[in-house]
């Protein structure tokens, strides 16, 4: 709990020895529970049990509103503690009870919180569509209450779902919305979390410098807040990135620091993540026995906790180790399990990783084949998985998405600067645009009037005696001017539909010229004929 010192916790503990109303006693026990959530989970659970013993909750439907609110909060906090240790079944059950109680009151804030946390558990168990549904419902309620903290949390969680399924464009939109709300409310911890998540997106898009920039910004903020859990997560991400950039010594230092924090906190899910990252380090160092050891430790925890979304990564990593140890039968076994789970989850990102390792495995099998037909079949399999990898990679990361992500980041920075500088620059720009449009409209009107006069003059020339050469010149000049004027008018549309490509622009110009040419010929021959009569 932010801002809760040891002295203030002691004073709260001493208050429990006083004569208190049941409601106030429960409130203090809740505060003590959350203050100890990560520092001392067992003590946090003890405070929560005491809070739930204050009243008889066996028939909560008949309780008064205040007591039901406290009970809903108790179940919510119990869900937090279950989630922290990876007991997602009990966490989901407790969040669901909290939701039922909050809906019976009704308590909009309690409903929104319960839905948001139900979404978190669904995402961890691989039910992404159900997670999004819970988040969206929670967001609607938070927006109706103008609960900016709740809205920021929902946007962050929605972003995590989109990031997991490889929809990086939508993920970044949600993270920047969350970042903006947390910036407005001064939520430093939330800002740090957003920076971390934005860094993860840039890392997935292979923009390592940008990712590292956001991770380091996140770490500075989170260390200032002192939230050990999020510090460890960010250290893990920095370690991964430094390893990718070739700074292996600093990378492993970050990973072991993160592991130490998570072991102190007792967060099994995060310990599994640290084991996986340390396994990556040893794999890169070609210490395959140590690498396999850490990967298997990570997999065991993930399977025990039922973290379906994280299991494919470990299976694929173990498959990679077995390629290096030349145990290709085991490689294919692990990869097949990984692919089945990835496809069930609908995760392009996880499937892409598995396709890549399948390709490597079949290439090695082909090289070791003893017959031509066997070699040919294995190369064919390798090619098929390479095509799947490239197609999946293209759908995850392409130039247009990268540009859009850049625009989204720029838009966030732009909006923040506008708020700071009272929008004066924007108003000046709008005035310039309006004046430019007014000037262009006047010029277009003047040119149109001139063209009308010119063609009117050509029509009047039919009644005069004018040399043929002059007639040809007037007609040619008039249609040339008409052609150029039409190009000016159509240029924005031509630019849009041709996407700025020279060949596309030339094609549009050729079509326009082909349409004008018969008209030019008709006017010229008609005028010559009238003058010759």
């Amino acid at each position: 709990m932010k801002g809760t010192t040891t002295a203030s916790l002691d004073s709260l503990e001493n208050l429990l020895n006083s004569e208190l109303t049941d409601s106030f006693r429960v409130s203090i026990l809740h505060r003590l529970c959350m203050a100890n959530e990560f520092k001392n989970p067992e003590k946090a659970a003890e405070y929560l049990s005491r809070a739930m013993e204050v009243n008889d909750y066996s028939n909560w439907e008949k309780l008064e509103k205040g007591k039901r609110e406290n009970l809903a909060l108790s179940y919510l906090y119990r869900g937090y503690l279950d989630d922290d240790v990876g007991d997602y079944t009990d966490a989901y059950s407790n969040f669901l009870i909290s939701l039922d109680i909050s809906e019976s009151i009704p308590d909009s804030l309690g409903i929104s919180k319960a839905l948001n946390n139900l979404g978190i558990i669904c995402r961890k168990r691989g039910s992404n569509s159900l997670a999004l549904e819970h988040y969206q419902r929670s967001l609607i309620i938070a927006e109706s209450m103008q609960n900016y903290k709740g809205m920021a949390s929902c946007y962050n969680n929605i972003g995590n779902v989109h990031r997991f399924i490889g929809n990086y464009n939508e993920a970044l939109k949600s993270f920047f919305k969350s970042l903006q709300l947390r910036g407005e409310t001064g939520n430093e911890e939330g800002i740090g979390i957003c920076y971390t998540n934005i860094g993860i997106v840039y890392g997935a898009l292979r923009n390592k410098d940008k990712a590292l920039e956001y991770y380091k910004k996140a770490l500075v903020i989170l260390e200032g807040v002192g939230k050990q859990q999020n510090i460890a997560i960010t250290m893990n991400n920095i370690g991964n990135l430094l390893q990718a950039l070739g700074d292996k010594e600093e990378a492993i230092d970050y990973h072991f620091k993160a592991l130490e924090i998570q072991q102190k906190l007792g967060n099994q899910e995060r310990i599994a993540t640290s084991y996986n990252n340390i396994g990556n380090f040893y794999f890169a160092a070609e210490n395959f026995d140590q690498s396999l050891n850490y990967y298997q430790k990570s997999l065991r925890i993930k399977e025990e906790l039922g973290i379906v979304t994280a299991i494919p990564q470990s299976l694929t990593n173990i498959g990679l180790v077995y390629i290096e140890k030349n145990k290709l039968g085991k490689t294919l076994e692990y990869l097949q399990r990984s692919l089945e789970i990835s496809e069930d989850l609908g995760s392009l990102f996880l499937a892409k990783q598995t396709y890549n390792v399948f390709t490597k495995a079949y290439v090695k099998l082909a090289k070791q084949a003893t017959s031509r037909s066997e070699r040919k079949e294995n190369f064919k399999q390798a090619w098929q998985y390479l095509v799947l990898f490239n197609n999946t990679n293209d759908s995850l990361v392409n130039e247009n998405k990268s540009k859009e992500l850049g625009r989204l980041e720029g838009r966030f920075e732009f909006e923040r600067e506008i708020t700071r500088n009272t929008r004066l620059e924007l108003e000046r720009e709008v005035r310039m645009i309006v004046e430019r449009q007014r000037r262009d409209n006047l010029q277009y009107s003047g040119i149109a009037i001139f063209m009308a006069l010119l063609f009117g003059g050509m029509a009047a020339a039919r009644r005069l005696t004018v040399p043929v050469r002059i007639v040809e010149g007037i007609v040619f000049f008039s249609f040339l001017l008409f052609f150029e004027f039409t190009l000016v008018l159509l240029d924005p549309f031509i630019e849009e539909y041709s996407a700025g490509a020279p060949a596309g622009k030339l094609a549009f110009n050729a079509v326009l010229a082909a349409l004008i040419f018969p008209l030019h010929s008709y006017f010229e021959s008609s005028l010559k004929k009238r003058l010759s009569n």
Side-chain angles (χ1 to χ4, degrees), residues 486-499:
T486 308
L487 281 181
V488 170
L489 285 175
L490 296 179
D491 186 63
F493 303 100
I494 293 172
E495 184 72 25
E496 179 181 350
Y497 287 106
S498 68

Side-chain angles (χ1 to χ4, degrees), residues 102-384:
S102 296
E103 286 178 335
S104 74
I105 297 172
D107 174 19
S108 295
L109 181 60
I111 294 169
S112 181
K113 285 182 177 180
L115 286 168
N116 198 26
N117 283 285
L118 284 168
I120 290 171
I121 302 301
C122 287
R123 183 181 67 80
K124 289 181 178 180
R125 297 174 77 173
S127 301
N128 293 309
S129 58
L130 189 56
L132 273 177
E133 182 183 325
H134 285 313
Y135 292 148
Q136 294 288 0
R137 285 180 61 195
S138 178
L139 178 61
I140 290 168
I141 296 169
E143 286 177 334
S144 70
M145 299 172 63
Q146 292 188 315
N147 175 12
Y148 298 121
K149 182 180 178 182
M151 288 163 61
S153 178
C154 289
Y155 277 124
N156 184 72
N157 291 332
I158 289 169
N160 279 327
V161 174
H162 286 301
R163 176 178 60 80
F164 176 77
I165 62 177
N167 192 350
Y168 300 130
N169 189 9
E170 289 300 316
L172 203 64
K173 282 183 184 177
S174 296
F175 289 144
F176 274 123
K177 283 180 181 176
S178 180
L179 180 59
Q180 186 171 8
L181 287 164
R182 284 168 168 172
E184 290 172 0
T185 56
N187 182 347
E188 291 294 310
E189 181 188 350
I191 291 169
I193 292 169
C194 285
Y195 281 148
T196 297
N197 287 330
I198 293 167
I200 293 172
V201 173
Y202 279 115
L205 290 167
R206 301 191 295 277
N207 190 339
K208 295 183 177 64
D209 291 336
K210 201 76 174 172
L212 189 59
E213 174 192 333
Y214 274 99
Y215 287 152
K216 289 191 171 178
K217 285 165 73 174
L219 189 58
V220 169
I221 291 172
L222 294 171
E223 285 179 334
V225 174
K227 204 74 171 184
Q228 296 299 305
Q229 180 74 276
N230 293 318
I231 290 171
I233 292 169
T234 305
M235 282 182 168
N236 252 329
N237 290 324
I238 292 174
N240 288 336
L241 203 57
L242 288 171
Q243 186 170 325
L245 291 168
D247 193 345
K248 294 178 182 178
E249 289 186 10
E250 193 175 359
I252 195 62
D253 185 47
Y254 272 104
H255 285 317
F256 275 114
K257 282 179 180 176
L259 176 61
E260 185 181 354
I261 293 171
Q262 298 295 7
Q263 286 175 331
K264 285 180 180 176
L265 296 175
N267 188 320
Q268 293 300 308
E269 179 187 352
R270 298 299 179 185
I271 290 170
T273 300
S274 289
Y275 282 150
N276 183 77
N277 292 335
I278 294 168
N280 289 340
F281 170 80
Y282 283 119
F283 182 87
E286 299 186 1
N287 187 339
F288 300 121
D289 289 335
Q290 275 284 54
S291 177
L292 184 60
N293 177 39
Y294 278 101
Y295 285 153
Q296 287 176 334
K297 281 183 177 181
S298 179
L299 179 61
R300 277 196 295 272
I301 293 173
K302 291 170 182 178
E303 288 179 331
E304 287 169 6
L305 298 179
I307 313 172
V308 184
T309 54
I311 289 173
Q313 181 190 47
S314 290
L315 293 170
T316 301
N317 288 339
I318 292 171
L320 270 170
V321 174
Y322 280 126
I323 288 178
E324 298 301 328
K325 293 171 80 69
N326 206 30
K327 296 181 179 180
L328 299 173
K330 278 190 167 291
T331 292
L332 296 180
E333 176 189 331
Y334 277 94
L335 293 181
Q336 190 57 43
R337 284 179 60 196
S338 175
L339 187 58
E340 287 171 2
I341 297 171
S342 300
E343 288 177 342
D344 287 343
L345 293 171
S347 173
L348 292 176
F349 178 73
L350 293 175
K352 181 194 80 168
Q353 292 178 319
T354 310
Y355 293 146
N356 187 37
V357 183
F358 260 126
T359 303
K360 294 177 181 179
Y362 277 110
V363 165
K364 193 162 187 177
L365 279 168
K367 290 179 179 179
Q368 295 177 358
T370 55
S371 68
R372 184 176 178 182
S373 61
E374 186 183 354
R375 185 163 56 252
K376 182 180 178 182
E377 180 59 31
N378 284 323
F379 271 127
K380 181 182 176 183
Q381 289 283 355
W383 174 256
Q384 288 173 345

